[in-house]
Amino acid sequence: MMLDSTSVKGRILDAAARAFATHGVDQTSIDDIARDLGATKGKIYHHFGSKSELVCAIRKQSVQLTLERVRPQFDAAMPPPEKFHAMAKAHVIAMISELAYHRVVVEEMR
């Protein structure tokens, strides 16, 4: 399920993804994310039990965001070469549109 960026959890994930992508997961505290949100860290811990859980949710959201963009192309009735091109284009658009999420995933893989 893709989280809506207007939901509380969605706003927390967006803020965390931006902070982690900019400063790195290890260098970013829950306090930093709370400050960016204009909230308390208690609000974050109400939705995510730990920083690790937050990073895991960002990874899952990254995959979900990409799937939401690519799935319609995959399901479309078109010749395979056109389908592949459309899926690749949708994937690139997902990477650019949700760059913070994907950057966190890539950085965590290093």
Side-chain angles (χ1 to χ4, degrees), residues 1-100:
M1 169 177 81
M2 188 164 87
L3 291 174
D4 184 334
S5 64
T6 61
S7 73
V8 174
K9 284 182 95 167
R11 288 194 315 272
I12 292 169
L13 284 179
D14 287 347
R18 283 191 308 271
F20 292 155
T22 302
H23 306 291
V25 172
D26 292 338
Q27 292 74 32
T28 302
S29 69
I30 296 297
D31 284 320
D32 295 329
I33 297 163
R35 195 172 22 262
D36 184 52
L37 281 169
T40 64
K41 65 182 177 180
K43 183 174 189 171
I44 295 170
Y45 283 124
H46 177 74
H47 295 280
F48 300 96
S50 66
K51 186 170 151 180
S52 295
E53 189 178 317
L54 188 53
V55 172
C56 184
I58 288 170
R59 287 184 190 137
K60 288 179 182 178
Q61 185 71 348
S62 171
V63 171
Q64 189 62 40
L65 289 166
T66 302
L67 183 60
E68 294 286 327
R69 295 226 185 223
V70 174
R71 173 68 69 185
Q73 310 310 318
F74 177 79
D75 291 338
M78 61 178 85
E82 289 176 33
K83 183 180 285 200
F84 178 76
H85 183 266
M87 288 171 62
K89 183 178 177 181
H91 187 263
V92 169
I93 291 169
M95 293 294 120
I96 293 168
S97 299
E98 291 91 21
L99 184 60

